Amino acid sequence: SIIQMGQLIDDVIHLARVTSTELREQDVDLSAVARVALDQMKQADPERTVATMIRPGMIVRGDGRLLRIALENLLQNAWKFTGKRPDAMIEVGSRQQDGERTYYVQDNGVGFDMEFAGRLFGPFQRLHRSEEFPGTGIGLATVRRVIHRHGGRVWAEAKPGEGARFSFTLKAEG
């Protein structure tokens, strides 16, 4: 439809901007960013009951605007793909893994088959039909772009019907 095409064009322009703007390093409170984003989703969709857990005090070094875009994209996906669950759960946390700090957004939504995980972060790659779950397929490409610009990595783990966990690292972290 025209509306979907307009959204797609906006998303592509957005992706280009994420790539070209200069990084402005600052302390970013990922916990607060996640809280605000999830509160906005709850207000926009008040009929839904979603249990949320956010680890407090996740302060990182990076570009606040870009990291907010990345985290919001991950959270919007978690929100979208838990839509059919009455017991929806979204967790934002961090852990020490192989000597580096890893941040993650985890949900108990529809998940996906790991066989397709490699395609997830490419622009326009979608694992679910648009009729089931709307979207343009740009969100995760944007997330990857932002994390790579911060010298980090991003990856996903999931099981069909059991949910997904998207994890990322940021290079500035010790």
Side-chain angles (χ1 to χ4, degrees):
S1 78
I2 303 268
I3 293 170
Q4 283 172 316
M5 186 51 88
Q7 183 60 55
L8 184 59
I9 291 166
D10 287 350
D11 287 352
V12 171
I13 290 168
H14 195 65
L15 181 59
R17 281 205 194 109
V18 164
T19 322
S20 59
T21 52
E22 205 176 320
L23 284 184
R24 287 194 296 271
E25 282 233 335
Q26 63 208 105
D27 284 339
V28 182
D29 184 344
L30 288 184
S31 306
V33 171
R35 169 66 50 226
V36 168
L38 285 167
D39 284 349
Q40 286 170 345
M41 289 175 218
K42 285 177 180 173
Q43 283 167 11
D45 200 353
E47 301 80 52
R48 281 205 50 203
T49 307
V50 180
T52 57
M53 286 184 297
I54 300 173
R55 180 187 177 123
M58 291 188 292
I59 311 288
V60 300
R61 284 295 292 172
D63 185 302
R65 194 179 55 90
L66 292 183
L67 290 173
R68 192 188 79 238
I69 289 168
L71 194 54
E72 281 175 356
N73 269 304
L74 292 176
L75 289 168
Q76 281 160 359
N77 271 0
W79 188 272
K80 175 166 59 174
F81 292 115
T82 54
K84 295 176 172 31
R85 284 197 76 122
D87 61 341
M89 187 280 300
I90 299 173
E91 181 185 350
V92 184
S94 75
R95 57 185 193 275
Q96 207 53 32
Q97 200 180 348
D98 303 326
E100 66 183 341
R101 175 64 52 193
T102 301
Y103 302 92
Y104 63 87
V105 172
Q106 185 167 336
D107 67 63
N108 64 348
V110 293
F112 56 84
D113 187 331
M114 283 300 287
E115 188 187 332
F116 305 112
R119 289 183 13 209
L120 275 179
F121 295 98
F124 314 118
Q125 296 290 338
R126 296 185 42 108
L127 302 188
H128 301 278
R129 300 198 332 275
S130 338
E131 304 85 76
E132 272 189 291
F133 296 99
T136 56
I138 296 286
L140 289 175
T142 302
V143 170
R144 183 177 66 176
R145 205 63 74 82
V146 168
I147 299 306
H148 284 185
R149 290 211 55 201
H150 284 82
R153 304 186 327 281
V154 59
W155 67 97
E157 301 147 281
K159 283 198 183 121
E162 291 182 33
R165 177 169 57 212
F166 285 85
S167 303
F168 62 92
T169 60
L170 299 168
K171 191 173 198 303
E173 302 287 295

